[in-house]
Amino acid sequence: MGARDKPGSESPLKAANLLADCGMRDIQSCCSLCQVSILCGGGKSPERRQRGERMPIHTLDDLTTKKNLQLRKISVPLHAGRYSRYLLMEERLTKLAVLGLGSMGSALARCLLEAGYDVHVWNRTPGKSEALANAGAKVCTSADEAVGASNFAIVCIKSHKETVALVEELSTSLGGKTICDMSTGETSDADALVSILGERGAEYMLGMINAYPSGVGKEDTTILTVGNAGTWERYGDIIRVLGGKSANVGERPSALAALFAGLFTVRQGFMFGMIFGALVCQKAGISLQVFSDQLPATLKLVNDYHNLFARTVPAEDYDNAEASMKVYAMAQEDALKTFESLDAPAEFMQLMYKRTKAAWDEGFGDKQLTALVQHMADQ
């Protein structure tokens, strides 16, 4: 093979073999000698990829330890001589698939494409794949094809139960693959999914996305996961591309279902608080615009509530209350009477007052309101 012969553009390949035989630890020297061109395919800047900028990699260690980088193309016009036989050998890098292309699934696939990954996609309704195909995704005609083409497949459909049904229909081997289910569901469905994946030789990761589709790919977005030991080490960088503050919280499937239920309750509790608050104001003839305009001031107190919770609940220290349980109970009773006098729906306030008053009656009156965690857990 002459100096200008080209084996062509290879898929992401091992540079280690060539560097070792060239005796070069400096990749720039090796590239100069062997005319190896490494084009940028990773990172978060489409502009850099379009300009074909070189990766900021200078040593073999840089190349082999940056797990989050995907080498899209390595052209190897090798120099003449004994080194010409050392074509870079193909390396099995992560191959991705996204199954389920609703609003969230499409956002996940698009984010991975923009980050430079090769992504296979599939959806029961083929028309939803068109926009992603235009963005560079490889459209598959079946779930089997998508899973078979990947070693890390993200499923984003309605529920764990539907994912179980999808897995049961697969005929392709799942050995050595990891299925990451971003769907939701109850604990029993999560356990059933993990069980069937284990029987099929696959590893599992379950993910909870704490964002709307528009938040996918942002630095402050969180995706919480559980999975087999080692799955986060292998694929955590991919999840962090989808959400910059993502984290792994363990291995037990039930942990994620419980965490989803808990955090969902917090968000929904705030939303229902606004809804019930709007109703009582409406009954009193207060403009809902006036009510809405006052919410930002209330939101400042929500941060104080979080600080109180973080300070007292993990430490189980509920003494020295600035505002005690009985103070909150009396304020809740006043609010409840207002709801009832205006004939506004009062069940939300009734629940709060019932729980707080019961704790007061059982000796928790001088403790922090957050002592309700202890009181209710002991029942």
Side-chain angles (χ1 to χ4, degrees), residues 78 194 207 209 258 266 291 296 311 336 338 358:
L78 294 175
V194 169
I209 306 171
V266 172
F291 173 72
R311 188 176 74 249
L336 177 58
T338 299

Side-chain angles (χ1 to χ4, degrees), residues 4 13 41 48 55 70 88 95 114 123 148-149 230 235 240-241 251 267 269 291 325 329 364 375:
R4 305 307 299 172
L13 307 170
R48 284 184 59 211
M55 289 184 181
Q70 175 124 351
L88 303 183
K95 301 171 184 177
E114 290 176 352
N123 194 70
Y235 303 118
R240 288 195 194 96
V241 168
E251 296 186 28
R267 298 194 299 269
F291 173 72
M325 185 91 66
F364 284 72
H375 177 257

Side-chain angles (χ1 to χ4, degrees), residues 22-75:
C22 285
M24 296 287 183
R25 296 295 295 182
D26 183 325
I27 197 167
Q28 290 181 333
S29 297
C30 183
C31 288
S32 176
L33 176 64
C34 299
Q35 301 179 52
V36 179
S37 175
I38 302 179
L39 300 183
C40 179
K44 296 185 177 181
S45 171
E47 293 78 12
R48 284 184 59 211
R49 293 196 299 276
Q50 290 171 3
R51 293 195 301 267
E53 290 185 9
R54 268 43 176 183
M55 289 184 181
I57 296 177
H58 304 293
T59 69
L60 176 59
D61 289 338
D62 288 336
L63 183 65
T64 57
T65 60
K66 290 183 180 293
K67 295 185 294 183
N68 63 323
L69 294 175
Q70 175 124 351
L71 307 186
R72 296 295 302 277
K73 184 183 295 183
I74 300 183
S75 299

Side-chain angles (χ1 to χ4, degrees), residues 1-7 18 21-24 29-36 76-87:
M1 184 182 294
R4 305 307 299 172
D5 291 337
K6 294 185 179 182
L18 183 63
D21 285 293
C22 285
M24 296 287 183
S29 297
C30 183
C31 288
S32 176
L33 176 64
C34 299
Q35 301 179 52
V36 179
V76 194
L78 294 175
H79 61 286
R82 67 184 183 90
Y83 301 118
S84 63
R85 70 181 185 276
Y86 294 111
L87 297 181

Side-chain angles (χ1 to χ4, degrees), residues 43-330:
K44 296 185 177 181
S45 171
E47 293 78 12
R48 284 184 59 211
R49 293 196 299 276
Q50 290 171 3
R51 293 195 301 267
E53 290 185 9
R54 268 43 176 183
M55 289 184 181
I57 296 177
H58 304 293
T59 69
L60 176 59
D61 289 338
D62 288 336
L63 183 65
T64 57
T65 60
K66 290 183 180 293
K67 295 185 294 183
N68 63 323
L69 294 175
Q70 175 124 351
L71 307 186
R72 296 295 302 277
K73 184 183 295 183
I74 300 183
S75 299
V76 194
L78 294 175
H79 61 286
R82 67 184 183 90
Y83 301 118
S84 63
R85 70 181 185 276
Y86 294 111
L87 297 181
L88 303 183
M89 303 303 292
E90 184 169 358
E91 180 178 301
R92 183 171 180 258
L93 295 185
T94 302
K95 301 171 184 177
L96 305 181
V98 177
L99 292 79
L101 301 176
S103 297
M104 185 61 78
S106 293
L108 296 173
R110 187 173 297 279
C111 179
L112 293 171
L113 287 167
E114 290 176 352
Y117 289 99
D118 291 323
V119 182
H120 291 74
V121 297
W122 172 81
N123 194 70
R124 291 191 188 277
T125 306
K128 292 187 176 182
S129 305
E130 185 175 345
L132 291 168
N134 293 335
K138 297 176 176 64
V139 178
C140 299
T141 58
S142 68
D144 264 310
E145 181 185 355
V147 173
S150 67
N151 47 32
F152 186 69
I154 297 173
V155 180
C156 191
I157 53 182
K158 290 182 179 179
S159 66
H160 295 322
K161 184 177 292 187
E162 290 200 10
T163 303
V164 169
L166 185 150
V167 171
E168 288 176 337
E169 294 171 359
L170 294 175
S171 59
T172 190
S173 172
L174 299 185
K177 298 182 184 295
T178 297
I179 306 299
C180 175
D181 191 20
M182 296 286 189
S183 310
T184 60
E186 58 185 72
T187 301
S188 61
D189 293 332
D191 289 337
L193 175 59
V194 169
S195 177
I196 190 173
L197 288 175
E199 292 170 3
R200 297 284 297 273
E203 293 190 319
Y204 74 91
M205 181 183 284
L206 307 180
M208 178 178 70
I209 306 171
N210 292 308
Y212 290 110
S214 59
V216 171
K218 295 185 177 179
E219 288 297 328
D220 59 350
T221 291
T222 300
I223 299 175
L224 300 178
T225 71
V226 296
N228 291 107
T231 53
W232 181 256
E233 286 73 17
R234 289 192 295 277
Y235 303 118
D237 287 344
I238 294 172
I239 302 300
R240 288 195 194 96
V241 168
L242 302 172
K245 291 188 176 179
S246 298
N248 178 64
V249 296
E251 296 186 28
R252 293 176 56 193
S254 60
L256 195 65
L259 193 56
F260 167 77
L263 295 175
F264 183 72
T265 298
V266 172
R267 298 194 299 269
Q268 290 291 289
F270 182 72
M271 176 61 78
F272 271 78
M274 290 191 293
I275 291 169
F276 277 90
L279 289 171
V280 72
C281 288
Q282 191 175 51
K283 287 285 189 178
I286 298 171
S287 164
L288 294 187
Q289 184 62 58
V290 171
F291 173 72
S292 180
D293 290 343
Q294 296 306 309
L295 288 174
T298 296
L299 283 173
K300 293 179 180 179
L301 291 175
V302 173
N303 187 59
D304 292 339
Y305 284 173
H306 170 257
N307 291 337
L308 174 64
F309 187 94
R311 188 176 74 249
T312 60
V313 175
E316 298 184 345
D317 181 5
Y318 304 112
D319 296 326
N320 303 313
E322 185 175 357
S324 66
M325 185 91 66
K326 62 186 177 185
V327 170
Y328 276 103
M330 290 186 289

